[in-house]
Amino acid sequence: MNITKYLALGGVALGLSLTSCIGDLDLEPNDPNLGNATDYVAVLAKCYSGMAVSGQDGPGSSDISGLDNGTGQYTRALFMMNEFTTDECLWIWQDAGVVDLCTNTFDASNGNIYGTYSRLYSHIAVCNDFLSSVKNSEDPDLQDMALQARTLRAMSYYWVVDIFGKGSFITEEAAVGENPVQKSRRDLYDWLVAELEDIVAKFKESNYPVAYGHVGLDGAQALLARLYLNASVYTDGAVAGWDLCQKHCEEIIARHQGGGFQGSGLANHYLYLFCRDNSVYMPGGGNSAENEILWGLAFNNYYTQSYGGANFIICASISNGNLADNGYSMSNTAYGMENQWTCMHGRKEFFDKFTSNDIRQSMWLKEESGFTKENTEFSSFNNGYATVKFTNLIPGTNGEWSPANGGIYGAGDPNTQVWPDTDLPLIRLADVYLMYTECFIMGGTGTQDKALQYVNYVTNRAGMRSWVEGDLTPNNILDERARELYWELTRRSDLIRHDKYTGGNYLWSWKGNTAEGNAISERYKLMPIPVNIISAQPEFTQNTGY
């Protein structure tokens, strides 16, 4: 898609056909005759739906073209960038460009990288357009909606900073037809810090409750904390954000403590956060004592059908096969799904971080079901444990939660669906607790007592022992983040922040395109700016090494 043309549209009304193709963009303005705040609800919905579904006409449609409609969905594209390229999982199908991500051999012509860049900027453009239409309003309802749209846009710009470093930049203040400029990573970081600090300050002054599926103060402030967590990477060592990250984590934690697991505000049961009824843990969800999902995307089997989101993660990680014919035994109906894709499993080095009594791996299938830990055969589904985290099960259907039974719940639930009702967490309170502890380890000014208390909320809920002073090391917190947050779009950033991504000081299966793992170039700390983008705006420059 022509990002320049897309971002330059500025004042075109929403409610549009946003279908595009390589080198062109076809927009058909449809004046929605917007008046009061009620009229804008559906318009804001496009800013939200751009992160959940790929298009406006069902799961097979897409707002961008030139890429498979399912692959190009917002969170699925981000999953490919943040998980396929790390030690956490392998996509065993030899899809064009995907195998290059899994083996760290991609370049600037990779279509999936182009699709991710395009998806992020199409979302930014929609948010810009909404903000342009309400920027002079004094209606408090519209001002609150503008804060939400600014936060949604900030998430997309955050991923530009994290994945690509430099990137196109334009806001609602640009004149119609004005071209975006390319900003450096540091400039984008500085803008994003100022933007999120302002959003957080204004959300604090707001009395508006956060509706289910929407974003508010918790989500915006958690995103700001994550930005500060990675400040040293994003500013090439010029800024250490540990103290500022801790400050924002403390404020979030203070709003949530009192209920849930050990009074932490965390959900009492880890796996319940990733199943069909996890909407109760969302903002506006209903379980205010365990409101752990600070920001999530709402999915419904009828209204939000998508080949991305939780559907992608569930279906990719499950199969339907018997031991005699397939060499492994697994049933998709055991996870509440009618569909299964049989195409994604974990990597050996990731499995090695867990012990058998860790609740967070209790849904996996292992040797007794015909799966092996090793990844010697790239394209064999059972050559790697069946790594199940997200399901479409109903908690407690066939027995209530109990660590004694391994944490299995609802196994064999006959109430299967084609599309899951499982919401997708984007940032959880558990991440906030781990961010605080990491900041203490890396030089922040927080206290050791709090660092231990906060990490132990997470480890104890998982059925693991409490940490003591000697456990507060960079390697330990990196591994704990892997155990707690796997498949939640943090792994690539975490490895880079701890200098374990490139080079050869930490290897994993198929890193560098060898079964035993190999060192990779420093250039892979950033994805390349897609060649199509530079062709459209030749004044843009490429990241080093591509």
Side-chain angles (χ1 to χ4, degrees), residues 256-266 433 457:
H256 285 264
Q257 285 193 318
F261 182 76
Q262 297 180 356
S264 66
L266 297 178
Y433 280 119
Y457 285 143

Side-chain angles (χ1 to χ4, degrees), residues 304-323:
T304 44
Q305 298 175 357
S306 172
Y307 289 111
N311 183 57
F312 150 68
I313 301 176
I314 298 170
C315 288
S317 61
I318 63 175
S319 182
N320 189 36
N322 61 67
L323 199 62

Side-chain angles (χ1 to χ4, degrees), residues 213-256:
H214 288 222
V215 66
L217 174 58
D218 283 337
Q221 195 163 21
L223 179 59
L224 179 57
R226 188 178 284 181
L227 185 65
Y228 283 131
L229 180 73
N230 291 287
S232 60
V233 174
Y234 299 157
T235 65
D236 198 21
V239 176
W242 311 122
D243 290 346
L244 288 167
C245 179
Q246 284 180 312
K247 168 184 175 291
H248 288 287
C249 288
E250 283 276 67
E251 291 182 7
I252 297 168
I253 289 167
R255 293 195 294 270
H256 285 264

Side-chain angles (χ1 to χ4, degrees), residues 163-183:
I163 297 171
F164 298 99
K166 68 181 73 171
S168 306
F169 181 78
I170 199 165
T171 70
E172 75 279 10
E173 300 299 331
V176 175
E178 181 179 341
N179 280 347
V181 297
Q182 187 182 50
K183 280 188 176 289

Side-chain angles (χ1 to χ4, degrees), residues 92-105:
I92 68 172
W93 293 348
Q94 301 294 304
D95 294 342
V98 176
V99 67
D100 300 330
L101 296 172
C102 292
T103 58
N104 314 99
T105 56

